[in-house]
Amino acid sequence: EVQLVESGGGLVQPGGSLRLSCAASGFTFSNYWMHWVRQAPGKGPVWVSRINSDGSSTNYADSVKGRFTISRDNAKNTLYLQMNSLRAEDTAVYYCARRGYNILTGYYTFGMDVWGQGTTVSVSS
Amino acid sequence: QSALTQPASVSGSPGQSITISCTGTSSDVGGYHYVSWYQQHPGKAPKLMIYDVSDRPSGVSNRFSGSKSGNTASLTISGLQAEDEADYYCSSYTSSSTWVFGGGTKLTVL
């Protein structure tokens, strides 16, 4: 079964740090771009960051650039998000998601076809 | 990185069809064939319903279809069913090599 399981969320004070993990199983993790997407309570999803399959290329939303770092360990089938200088507005459920793949055509797509269950990050004093 | 614009809510009766719009700019929706649509039920993770404007993942009902014209993409759900009641979000790849989501549309099945 294709699965993503996030962990590492919790309560942290403003200015603090947290590292999220996303354990992948059921597919060849090293073949896929991966994303982090967050969703504040009662709000829509917001894209946070993306990393390519071998970790050599990353992109970030302006709101987290310089504070968050996405990385991956393909040997451990795990995606990470290091979050520093956390702010109250970073409070959200954080999801990892896989770049889509069309089995029929053999092409990767720009959708996100597998999502984890999310891990909650609360930034408050 | 402004959010894509969606109507806050739409509604329809069982069996009817509804369409949800998603308006962006030439730097996102209008510039690429990379619009996706997600369904989200309360307390659940988003689920991919449409990718690359109009393609459906395996297992998604053919009652769901997507299209695009200029800077506006659309999701149409035909033959509305009670289980379609959910929040729907569009998303697009952008010229900044980032992704942007819409603000979401709450679908109510009357």
Side-chain angles (χ1 to χ4, degrees):
Chain A
E1 179 192 6
V2 174
Q3 196 172 11
L4 298 171
V5 178
E6 301 94 337
S7 61
L11 175 63
V12 61
Q13 291 187 338
S17 298
L18 214 53
R19 188 177 85 155
L20 306 183
S21 299
C22 169
S25 59
F27 65 99
T28 305
F29 179 70
S30 59
N31 287 351
Y32 288 81
W33 293 2
M34 296 294 296
H35 300 269
W36 284 102
V37 177
R38 68 185 182 185
Q39 188 168 25
K43 303 293 186 180
V46 174
W47 178 82
V48 172
S49 182
R50 168 241 131 199
I51 187 168
N52 71 344
S53 55
D54 66 6
S56 62
S57 172
T58 59
N59 299 96
Y60 298 91
D62 286 345
S63 58
V64 307
K65 199 174 294 182
R67 300 188 299 124
F68 290 12
T69 302
I70 189 172
S71 63
R72 65 192 298 160
D73 185 336
N74 285 342
K76 294 184 178 179
N77 291 335
T78 303
L79 174 73
Y80 301 101
L81 185 67
Q82 177 67 44
M83 305 186 295
N84 298 331
S85 302
L86 282 162
R87 307 166 180 167
E89 54 264 37
D90 296 318
T91 294
V93 174
Y94 284 72
Y95 296 99
C96 59
R98 187 185 82 167
R99 180 186 189 182
Y101 178 72
N102 186 322
I103 296 175
L104 295 179
T105 64
Y107 287 105
Y108 291 92
T109 78
F110 278 72
M112 300 170 200
D113 68 347
V114 179
W115 294 63
Q117 85 290 349
T119 187
T120 300
V121 172
S122 296
V123 184
S124 174
S125 55
Chain B
Q1 296 177 347
S2 299
L4 305 176
T5 300
Q6 298 180 234
S9 63
V10 298
S11 63
S13 299
Q16 288 186 331
S17 295
I18 62 95
T19 297
I20 300 171
S21 62
C22 169
T23 301
T25 69
S26 58
S27 296
D28 39 63
V29 174
Y32 302 92
H33 204 71
Y34 299 143
V35 175
S36 302
W37 289 91
Y38 301 86
Q39 177 191 66
Q40 187 177 34
H41 288 108
K44 301 294 188 181
K47 175 187 176 182
L48 180 66
M49 305 302 284
I50 296 288
Y51 65 90
D52 296 356
V53 173
S54 57
D55 291 334
R56 269 188 317 274
S58 173
V60 172
S61 171
N62 60 8
R63 297 186 298 104
F64 292 82
S65 62
S67 64
K68 191 187 81 162
S69 177
N71 295 339
T72 298
S74 298
L75 171 72
T76 297
I77 308 173
S78 59
L80 268 180
Q81 299 179 2
E83 61 259 35
D84 298 334
E85 185 162 295
D87 294 324
Y88 290 85
Y89 299 94
C90 60
S91 177
S92 176
Y93 179 70
T94 83
S95 59
S96 301
S97 299
T98 62
W99 279 254
V100 62
F101 282 86
T105 298
K106 181 176 181 60
L107 169 61
T108 300
V109 179
L110 302 171

